[in-house]
Amino acid sequence: MTNSADAAGDHESYDLAVVGAGPAGLAAAASAAEHGVRVALLDGAPQPGGQFYRQPAAELRAERPQALHHHWSAFQHLLARLDAVRERVTLLSDHHVWSVTGGSGAFAVHALTGPDQRQARSLTARQVLFATGAHERQLPFPGWTLPGVVGAGGAQAMLKAGLVLPGRRVLVAGSGPLLLAVAASLTAAGATVPLVAEAAGYLGYARGARVLAANAGKLVEGAQHGATLLRHGVRLRPRTAVVAAHGTDRVEAVTLARLDAAWRPLSGTQWRVPCDAVAVGHGLVPQLELPLEFGCHTRRLPDGSAALVVDAAQRTTVPGVWAAGESTGVGGVQLAITEGELAGLAVAGQNTAPRSLLRRRSRQRAFADLMAARHAPGSGWTQWLDDATEVCRCEEVTARQVRDAVAELGAADQRTVKLLTRAGMGWCQARMCGPAVARLCGAPNADRHDDGAPTRPLSTPVPLGLLAECDTNAPSSEGAPR
Ligand SMILES: Cc1cc2nc3c(=O)[nH]c(=O)nc-3n(C[C@H](O)[C@H](O)[C@H](O)COP(=O)(O)OP(=O)(O)OC[C@H]3O[C@@H](n4cnc5c(N)ncnc54)[C@H](O)[C@@H]3O)c2cc1C
């Protein structure tokens, strides 16, 4: 695989542009290139691997980066496959794609690169594959903006990329299987984890016994994390949430509460636990800015979030546009690789995918659906917000301001709340506060794509000067972003 992160050529032309070099994008690029497809593989990160195979920065000179990873051999295998077809794969690391335009066999992919992401680079491709992964769902609570409160995935990223811990005594909280992986990594790296608070219950998994039996590898992985936690004396508390964080300059303690099935805190069950960091995340949400802007249709996942609709060959609803991995539904690294393989084969015109691969995808997708259903946020979590809780961190909008917009000014959707309060207008463009605002204004699903929220022409902030210089000769057609 050629790494041309420093090259400056404009308008190179490829058969396929893969956006995202995580497990799904790597697998897609490898399987397509193995069948003769010329691929550009773009990623905003400095190294390929995505969230799961995030590696320490080169200057840290880690001797055993694999020590922090499961399934490292699968990553090595993907890299070796890509190396074997390096004349057909151009890796563009540090390339943040801000827009894809065109359609019908002629797409233009626009990226920012270089120091401070201020250099423009565009390329053309006959087909595009979105493997843009997911981001964490954050549900606010009083004190969640204190230094020391970090995302659960963020804590994992700090450890994998920076070899640092967010604190010495780190409470892990939120919902979803990622919490177990994060707690196991933190303890293995030397942190004390006093408790893992899981807002959902685990008993519901029993209803999916057949799905679990078909995905025995997942059970083994869960058991391995469980054994690590047991060895380090970490307690796992289901139906429990952090309902407040306390501290002056940084977090010093949290209040935990038992929850009912709808995630409402049960009165009289609160207790305080000292800690110097909190790693909290309430599951993952597919990252869809680019494909949504392109008009790709979405479907609703069992946890209420939106994911791309794809057919058996991983085609989206827009001709020439494909998707794989968490952008089609959060399901873990193995599913991402399976989908990438299938998409790469289909892009290369290999119309009959191996049956074993198709079966693996259905089995892994069934597990993903089970997991999403079991960890879907209950509607009662808004009860742990007090009026002063900042819901939108970028614009410093409180729960009180959002509630007033709804109760006194009649806002009934996220967009109107945004116009009235600025919630969601900041740097992250509602990626963080969207689910919370939607829930507070009574939108049926706490996801920012459901309530008519407008799509955005740019997936990341772009300097005006670059926009002005943007090549107007780039392909454009009816598929172009609005
Ligand atoms: C913060 C976080 C931490 C996680 N940690 C773990 C863990 O420890 N254990 C575990 O089992 N699972 C973890 N997961 C889930 C795991 O990452 C996924 O199951 C798996 O990596 C999915 O692979 P993917 O290729 O679909 O997406 P990802 O691995 O997320 O890869 C997507 C890639 O797309 C790139 N990208 C996105 N948008 C653009 C753009 N506009 N331009 C250029 N590049 C772009 C990203 O930089 C990223 O490299 C984590 C997820 C997150 C969000």
Side-chain angles (χ1 to χ4, degrees):
M1 167 167 65
T2 321
N3 191 336
S4 101
D6 300 326
D10 271 352
H11 291 298
E12 310 106 290
S13 191
Y14 296 87
D15 298 323
L16 173 68
V18 177
V19 185
L26 290 171
S31 69
E34 282 163 357
H35 290 86
V37 176
R38 287 180 53 253
V39 182
L41 176 57
L42 302 102
D43 200 298
Q47 289 167 304
Q51 299 290 357
F52 193 82
Y53 295 118
R54 193 186 280 274
Q55 301 141 70
E59 51 272 25
L60 292 173
R61 296 204 187 93
E63 283 173 13
R64 292 172 54 243
Q66 71 276 23
L68 294 166
H69 291 271
H70 280 277
H71 311 297
W72 185 254
S73 58
F75 180 48
Q76 293 299 298
H77 181 58
L78 283 172
L79 292 182
R81 283 174 61 196
L82 284 163
D83 197 44
V85 289
R86 58 183 168 279
E87 72 284 0
R88 284 196 289 280
V89 181
T90 303
L91 172 65
L92 299 168
S93 297
D94 263 325
H95 278 62
H96 199 115
V97 177
W98 57 270
S99 182
V100 179
T101 56
S104 308
F107 295 93
V109 178
H110 306 283
L112 291 175
T113 186
D116 300 329
Q117 300 256 296
R118 293 203 154 245
Q119 198 178 316
R121 183 160 184 184
S122 298
L123 57 88
T124 57
R126 290 195 297 115
Q127 309 194 68
V128 174
L129 190 149
F130 290 116
T132 45
H135 60 84
E136 279 193 292
R137 182 192 283 118
Q138 293 295 348
L139 302 181
F141 50 85
W144 75 302
T145 52
L146 277 170
V149 180
V150 299
Q156 187 81 322
M158 284 167 85
L159 190 53
K160 284 181 178 175
L163 304 179
V164 291
L165 291 166
R168 287 268 147 231
R169 189 175 159 81
V170 191
L171 194 130
V172 177
S175 192
L178 182 58
L179 300 187
L180 299 182
V182 171
S185 301
L186 292 174
T187 50
T192 300
V193 176
L195 190 103
V196 177
E198 162 61 63
Y202 286 109
L203 290 179
Y205 273 102
R207 269 177 248 138
R210 273 218 329 242
V211 174
L212 287 180
N215 288 276
K218 290 283 179 193
L219 289 180
V220 171
E221 201 176 317
Q224 283 168 346
H225 291 320
T228 307
L229 298 185
L230 212 59
R231 236 184 1 262
H232 289 89
V234 179
R235 283 169 301 149
L236 172 61
R237 296 292 294 256
R239 293 237 174 277
T240 303
V242 169
V243 293
H246 314 281
T248 41
D249 295 331
R250 64 174 286 128
V251 63
E252 290 161 14
V254 294
T255 297
L256 292 145
R258 297 273 296 151
L259 304 180
D260 69 9
W263 292 27
R264 281 182 293 252
L266 295 169
S267 65
T269 65
Q270 302 200 341
W271 79 104
R272 210 169 153 118
V273 176
C275 58
D276 61 7
V278 186
V280 60
H282 298 85
L284 302 175
V285 180
Q287 186 150 312
L288 303 180
E289 284 85 0
L290 291 169
L292 275 184
E293 186 54 35
F294 220 76
C296 298
H297 290 182
T298 58
R299 69 189 175 99
R300 182 122 329 277
L301 298 176
D303 67 352
S305 58
L308 294 178
V309 171
V310 285
D311 68 6
Q314 301 291 137
R315 268 184 219 98
T316 70
T317 51
V318 174
V321 179
W322 310 70
E326 313 257 77
S327 54
T328 74
V330 172
V333 63
Q334 287 102 342
L335 176 58
I337 292 175
T338 307
E339 289 194 350
E341 295 288 349
L342 283 165
L345 288 174
V347 168
Q350 304 293 304
N351 291 329
T352 44
R355 282 236 182 108
S356 56
L357 212 50
L358 294 170
R359 275 200 302 270
R360 197 190 309 162
R361 182 181 51 190
S362 339
R363 173 168 62 72
Q364 292 169 336
R365 182 57 64 205
F367 181 81
D369 288 346
L370 174 66
M371 192 173 71
R374 297 283 54 91
H375 297 278
S379 58
W381 68 266
T382 52
Q383 291 192 9
W384 67 55
L385 298 177
D386 62 23
D387 277 351
T389 309
E390 257 176 29
V391 171
C392 169
R393 285 199 298 202
C394 304
E395 294 290 327
E396 300 180 356
V397 180
T398 63
R400 171 70 184 266
Q401 287 169 288
V402 176
R403 284 173 170 145
D404 283 353
V406 174
E408 289 173 21
L409 303 172
D413 59 45
Q414 194 182 330
R415 186 167 185 215
T416 313
V417 172
K418 175 174 163 176
L419 294 173
L420 290 168
T421 66
R422 298 189 63 83
M425 267 191 207
W427 185 264
C428 89
Q429 288 286 291
R431 197 178 291 169
M432 290 298 125
C433 68
V437 172
R439 178 60 66 192
L440 283 171
C441 66
N445 283 297
D447 182 270
R448 70 200 163 93
H449 305 301
D450 306 337
D451 60 354
T455 54
R456 296 178 202 95
L458 313 177
S459 79
T460 189
V462 182
L464 270 178
L466 281 187
L467 277 181
E469 285 166 19
C470 196
D471 185 355
T472 48
N473 293 324
S476 70
S477 78
E478 62 203 76
R482 291 140 287 169

mmCIF file of all heavy atoms in Angstrom, residues 73-98:
data_model
loop_
_atom_site.group_PDB
_atom_site.id
_atom_site.type_symbol
_atom_site.label_atom_id
_atom_site.label_comp_id
_atom_site.label_asym_id
_atom_site.label_seq_id
_atom_site.Cartn_x
_atom_site.Cartn_y
_atom_site.Cartn_z
ATOM 1 N N SER A 73 -3.801 -9.850 15.490
ATOM 2 C CA SER A 73 -3.348 -10.609 14.317
ATOM 3 C C SER A 73 -4.260 -10.328 13.118
ATOM 4 O O SER A 73 -3.794 -10.334 11.971
ATOM 5 C CB SER A 73 -3.296 -12.105 14.625
ATOM 6 O OG SER A 73 -4.572 -12.516 15.028
ATOM 7 N N ALA A 74 -5.546 -10.057 13.366
ATOM 8 C CA ALA A 74 -6.451 -9.747 12.245
ATOM 9 C C ALA A 74 -6.015 -8.441 11.576
ATOM 10 O O ALA A 74 -6.052 -8.313 10.346
ATOM 11 C CB ALA A 74 -7.888 -9.627 12.753
ATOM 12 N N PHE A 75 -5.564 -7.490 12.366
ATOM 13 C CA PHE A 75 -5.100 -6.209 11.834
ATOM 14 C C PHE A 75 -3.826 -6.421 11.007
ATOM 15 O O PHE A 75 -3.690 -5.922 9.890
ATOM 16 C CB PHE A 75 -4.844 -5.250 13.008
ATOM 17 C CG PHE A 75 -4.355 -3.893 12.614
ATOM 18 C CD1 PHE A 75 -4.980 -3.158 11.609
ATOM 19 C CD2 PHE A 75 -3.273 -3.311 13.272
ATOM 20 C CE1 PHE A 75 -4.530 -1.889 11.262
ATOM 21 C CE2 PHE A 75 -2.819 -2.052 12.939
ATOM 22 C CZ PHE A 75 -3.448 -1.344 11.917
ATOM 23 N N GLN A 76 -2.900 -7.215 11.566
ATOM 24 C CA GLN A 76 -1.652 -7.497 10.849
ATOM 25 C C GLN A 76 -1.948 -8.184 9.512
ATOM 26 O O GLN A 76 -1.313 -7.900 8.500
ATOM 27 C CB GLN A 76 -0.750 -8.411 11.705
ATOM 28 C CG GLN A 76 -0.239 -7.743 12.965
ATOM 29 C CD GLN A 76 0.604 -6.510 12.646
ATOM 30 O OE1 GLN A 76 1.625 -6.611 12.011
ATOM 31 N NE2 GLN A 76 0.133 -5.346 13.054
ATOM 32 N N HIS A 77 -2.936 -9.068 9.546
ATOM 33 C CA HIS A 77 -3.310 -9.782 8.329
ATOM 34 C C HIS A 77 -3.858 -8.806 7.276
ATOM 35 O O HIS A 77 -3.497 -8.875 6.096
ATOM 36 C CB HIS A 77 -4.346 -10.852 8.688
ATOM 37 C CG HIS A 77 -4.786 -11.676 7.524
ATOM 38 N ND1 HIS A 77 -3.916 -12.401 6.759
ATOM 39 C CD2 HIS A 77 -6.010 -11.863 6.972
ATOM 40 C CE1 HIS A 77 -4.576 -13.010 5.787
ATOM 41 N NE2 HIS A 77 -5.850 -12.690 5.894
ATOM 42 N N LEU A 78 -4.696 -7.878 7.727
ATOM 43 C CA LEU A 78 -5.243 -6.881 6.782
ATOM 44 C C LEU A 78 -4.120 -6.037 6.178
ATOM 45 O O LEU A 78 -4.094 -5.785 4.968
ATOM 46 C CB LEU A 78 -6.243 -5.959 7.502
ATOM 47 C CG LEU A 78 -7.626 -6.537 7.787
ATOM 48 C CD1 LEU A 78 -8.425 -5.589 8.681
ATOM 49 C CD2 LEU A 78 -8.370 -6.776 6.474
ATOM 50 N N LEU A 79 -3.175 -5.619 7.025
ATOM 51 C CA LEU A 79 -2.065 -4.797 6.524
ATOM 52 C C LEU A 79 -1.213 -5.586 5.527
ATOM 53 O O LEU A 79 -0.778 -5.051 4.506
ATOM 54 C CB LEU A 79 -1.197 -4.289 7.688
ATOM 55 C CG LEU A 79 -1.866 -3.273 8.632
ATOM 56 C CD1 LEU A 79 -0.876 -2.824 9.701
ATOM 57 C CD2 LEU A 79 -2.397 -2.067 7.877
ATOM 58 N N ALA A 80 -1.006 -6.871 5.827
ATOM 59 C CA ALA A 80 -0.197 -7.700 4.920
ATOM 60 C C ALA A 80 -0.906 -7.857 3.570
ATOM 61 O O ALA A 80 -0.278 -7.792 2.513
ATOM 62 C CB ALA A 80 0.067 -9.067 5.554
ATOM 63 N N ARG A 81 -2.218 -8.035 3.619
ATOM 64 C CA ARG A 81 -2.970 -8.154 2.351
ATOM 65 C C ARG A 81 -2.859 -6.864 1.551
ATOM 66 O O ARG A 81 -2.690 -6.882 0.339
ATOM 67 C CB ARG A 81 -4.441 -8.464 2.652
ATOM 68 C CG ARG A 81 -4.679 -9.912 3.054
ATOM 69 C CD ARG A 81 -6.112 -10.120 3.490
ATOM 70 N NE ARG A 81 -7.071 -9.818 2.439
ATOM 71 C CZ ARG A 81 -8.376 -9.627 2.650
ATOM 72 N NH1 ARG A 81 -8.865 -9.730 3.861
ATOM 73 N NH2 ARG A 81 -9.182 -9.353 1.641
ATOM 74 N N LEU A 82 -2.966 -5.741 2.248
ATOM 75 C CA LEU A 82 -2.870 -4.456 1.539
ATOM 76 C C LEU A 82 -1.468 -4.260 0.970
ATOM 77 O O LEU A 82 -1.297 -3.721 -0.130
ATOM 78 C CB LEU A 82 -3.246 -3.306 2.490
ATOM 79 C CG LEU A 82 -4.748 -3.209 2.732
ATOM 80 C CD1 LEU A 82 -5.047 -2.372 3.971
ATOM 81 C CD2 LEU A 82 -5.441 -2.589 1.514
ATOM 82 N N ASP A 83 -0.484 -4.725 1.711
ATOM 83 C CA ASP A 83 0.891 -4.586 1.235
ATOM 84 C C ASP A 83 1.084 -5.404 -0.049
ATOM 85 O O ASP A 83 1.791 -4.987 -0.965
ATOM 86 C CB ASP A 83 1.857 -5.045 2.335
ATOM 87 C CG ASP A 83 3.251 -4.535 2.050
ATOM 88 O OD1 ASP A 83 3.376 -3.360 1.675
ATOM 89 O OD2 ASP A 83 4.208 -5.328 2.169
ATOM 90 N N ALA A 84 0.428 -6.555 -0.101
ATOM 91 C CA ALA A 84 0.577 -7.418 -1.278
ATOM 92 C C ALA A 84 -0.027 -6.790 -2.537
ATOM 93 O O ALA A 84 0.311 -7.182 -3.647
ATOM 94 C CB ALA A 84 -0.060 -8.776 -0.995
ATOM 95 N N VAL A 85 -0.928 -5.843 -2.362
ATOM 96 C CA VAL A 85 -1.545 -5.187 -3.542
ATOM 97 C C VAL A 85 -1.207 -3.690 -3.528
ATOM 98 O O VAL A 85 -1.998 -2.858 -3.962
ATOM 99 C CB VAL A 85 -3.084 -5.393 -3.565
ATOM 100 C CG1 VAL A 85 -3.435 -6.829 -3.891
ATOM 101 C CG2 VAL A 85 -3.727 -4.984 -2.239
ATOM 102 N N ARG A 86 -0.032 -3.357 -3.004
ATOM 103 C CA ARG A 86 0.284 -1.941 -2.759
ATOM 104 C C ARG A 86 0.266 -1.095 -4.022
ATOM 105 O O ARG A 86 -0.001 0.095 -3.957
ATOM 106 C CB ARG A 86 1.596 -1.783 -2.001
ATOM 107 C CG ARG A 86 2.797 -2.372 -2.662
ATOM 108 C CD ARG A 86 4.020 -2.197 -1.753
ATOM 109 N NE ARG A 86 5.130 -2.978 -2.215
ATOM 110 C CZ ARG A 86 5.305 -4.274 -2.001
ATOM 111 N NH1 ARG A 86 4.411 -4.945 -1.279
ATOM 112 N NH2 ARG A 86 6.336 -4.927 -2.482
ATOM 113 N N GLU A 87 0.511 -1.708 -5.181
ATOM 114 C CA GLU A 87 0.497 -0.889 -6.403
ATOM 115 C C GLU A 87 -0.922 -0.415 -6.747
ATOM 116 O O GLU A 87 -1.091 0.500 -7.549
ATOM 117 C CB GLU A 87 1.141 -1.646 -7.578
ATOM 118 C CG GLU A 87 0.356 -2.804 -8.157
ATOM 119 C CD GLU A 87 0.400 -4.065 -7.293
ATOM 120 O OE1 GLU A 87 1.059 -4.068 -6.215
ATOM 121 O OE2 GLU A 87 -0.241 -5.047 -7.680
ATOM 122 N N ARG A 88 -1.927 -1.028 -6.115
ATOM 123 C CA ARG A 88 -3.306 -0.616 -6.429
ATOM 124 C C ARG A 88 -3.989 0.140 -5.288
ATOM 125 O O ARG A 88 -5.144 0.527 -5.403
ATOM 126 C CB ARG A 88 -4.146 -1.854 -6.793
ATOM 127 C CG ARG A 88 -3.856 -2.365 -8.195
ATOM 128 C CD ARG A 88 -4.930 -3.300 -8.668
ATOM 129 N NE ARG A 88 -4.913 -4.577 -7.980
ATOM 130 C CZ ARG A 88 -4.081 -5.576 -8.266
ATOM 131 N NH1 ARG A 88 -3.223 -5.463 -9.244
ATOM 132 N NH2 ARG A 88 -4.139 -6.703 -7.588
ATOM 133 N N VAL A 89 -3.299 0.303 -4.145
ATOM 134 C CA VAL A 89 -3.946 0.995 -3.017
ATOM 135 C C VAL A 89 -3.106 2.200 -2.594
ATOM 136 O O VAL A 89 -1.934 2.059 -2.263
ATOM 137 C CB VAL A 89 -4.123 0.053 -1.800
ATOM 138 C CG1 VAL A 89 -4.813 0.794 -0.649
ATOM 139 C CG2 VAL A 89 -4.939 -1.168 -2.179
ATOM 140 N N THR A 90 -3.709 3.374 -2.621
ATOM 141 C CA THR A 90 -3.018 4.578 -2.156
ATOM 142 C C THR A 90 -3.638 4.985 -0.826
ATOM 143 O O THR A 90 -4.824 5.313 -0.762
ATOM 144 C CB THR A 90 -3.186 5.727 -3.176
ATOM 145 O OG1 THR A 90 -2.693 5.265 -4.433
ATOM 146 C CG2 THR A 90 -2.431 6.965 -2.736
ATOM 147 N N LEU A 91 -2.833 4.907 0.232
ATOM 148 C CA LEU A 91 -3.332 5.293 1.557
ATOM 149 C C LEU A 91 -3.104 6.787 1.756
ATOM 150 O O LEU A 91 -1.973 7.271 1.628
ATOM 151 C CB LEU A 91 -2.589 4.501 2.638
ATOM 152 C CG LEU A 91 -2.878 4.935 4.078
ATOM 153 C CD1 LEU A 91 -4.334 4.680 4.453
ATOM 154 C CD2 LEU A 91 -1.955 4.210 5.051
ATOM 155 N N LEU A 92 -4.164 7.492 2.030
ATOM 156 C CA LEU A 92 -4.069 8.933 2.291
ATOM 157 C C LEU A 92 -4.426 9.182 3.754
ATOM 158 O O LEU A 92 -5.572 9.500 4.090
ATOM 159 C CB LEU A 92 -5.002 9.699 1.347
ATOM 160 C CG LEU A 92 -4.683 9.535 -0.153
ATOM 161 C CD1 LEU A 92 -5.802 10.074 -1.013
ATOM 162 C CD2 LEU A 92 -3.372 10.208 -0.511
ATOM 163 N N SER A 93 -3.450 9.000 4.637
ATOM 164 C CA SER A 93 -3.666 9.277 6.063
ATOM 165 C C SER A 93 -3.695 10.784 6.262
ATOM 166 O O SER A 93 -3.220 11.539 5.406
ATOM 167 C CB SER A 93 -2.534 8.678 6.892
ATOM 168 O OG SER A 93 -2.530 7.286 6.752
ATOM 169 N N ASP A 94 -4.228 11.215 7.432
ATOM 170 C CA ASP A 94 -4.287 12.660 7.710
ATOM 171 C C ASP A 94 -5.090 13.413 6.662
ATOM 172 O O ASP A 94 -4.821 14.578 6.395
ATOM 173 C CB ASP A 94 -2.875 13.256 7.785
ATOM 174 C CG ASP A 94 -2.409 13.364 9.229
ATOM 175 O OD1 ASP A 94 -3.263 13.640 10.088
ATOM 176 O OD2 ASP A 94 -1.216 13.150 9.480
ATOM 177 N N HIS A 95 -6.017 12.752 6.034
ATOM 178 C CA HIS A 95 -6.890 13.391 5.041
ATOM 179 C C HIS A 95 -8.326 13.345 5.568
ATOM 180 O O HIS A 95 -8.935 12.270 5.580
ATOM 181 C CB HIS A 95 -6.821 12.675 3.695
ATOM 182 C CG HIS A 95 -5.648 13.079 2.872
ATOM 183 N ND1 HIS A 95 -4.351 12.868 3.282
ATOM 184 C CD2 HIS A 95 -5.572 13.713 1.662
ATOM 185 C CE1 HIS A 95 -3.520 13.344 2.352
ATOM 186 N NE2 HIS A 95 -4.240 13.866 1.368
ATOM 187 N N HIS A 96 -8.810 14.481 6.025
ATOM 188 C CA HIS A 96 -10.178 14.528 6.540
ATOM 189 C C HIS A 96 -11.129 14.913 5.402
ATOM 190 O O HIS A 96 -11.044 16.014 4.869
ATOM 191 C CB HIS A 96 -10.279 15.537 7.684
ATOM 192 C CG HIS A 96 -11.481 15.301 8.514
ATOM 193 N ND1 HIS A 96 -11.424 14.915 9.828
ATOM 194 C CD2 HIS A 96 -12.797 15.341 8.190
ATOM 195 C CE1 HIS A 96 -12.658 14.742 10.272
ATOM 196 N NE2 HIS A 96 -13.503 14.998 9.296
ATOM 197 N N VAL A 97 -11.987 14.001 5.032
ATOM 198 C CA VAL A 97 -12.898 14.258 3.914
ATOM 199 C C VAL A 97 -14.019 15.165 4.397
ATOM 200 O O VAL A 97 -14.713 14.843 5.366
ATOM 201 C CB VAL A 97 -13.474 12.934 3.363
ATOM 202 C CG1 VAL A 97 -14.483 13.207 2.254
ATOM 203 C CG2 VAL A 97 -12.348 12.042 2.861
ATOM 204 N N TRP A 98 -14.174 16.306 3.755
ATOM 205 C CA TRP A 98 -15.231 17.219 4.208
ATOM 206 C C TRP A 98 -16.434 17.216 3.282
ATOM 207 O O TRP A 98 -17.514 17.644 3.653
ATOM 208 C CB TRP A 98 -14.699 18.641 4.417
ATOM 209 C CG TRP A 98 -14.039 19.291 3.231
ATOM 210 C CD1 TRP A 98 -12.731 19.239 2.890
ATOM 211 C CD2 TRP A 98 -14.668 20.118 2.249
ATOM 212 N NE1 TRP A 98 -12.492 19.965 1.760
ATOM 213 C CE2 TRP A 98 -13.665 20.526 1.342
ATOM 214 C CE3 TRP A 98 -15.973 20.573 2.051
ATOM 215 C CZ2 TRP A 98 -13.928 21.351 0.247
ATOM 216 C CZ3 TRP A 98 -16.246 21.388 0.967
ATOM 217 C CH2 TRP A 98 -15.230 21.771 0.072
#
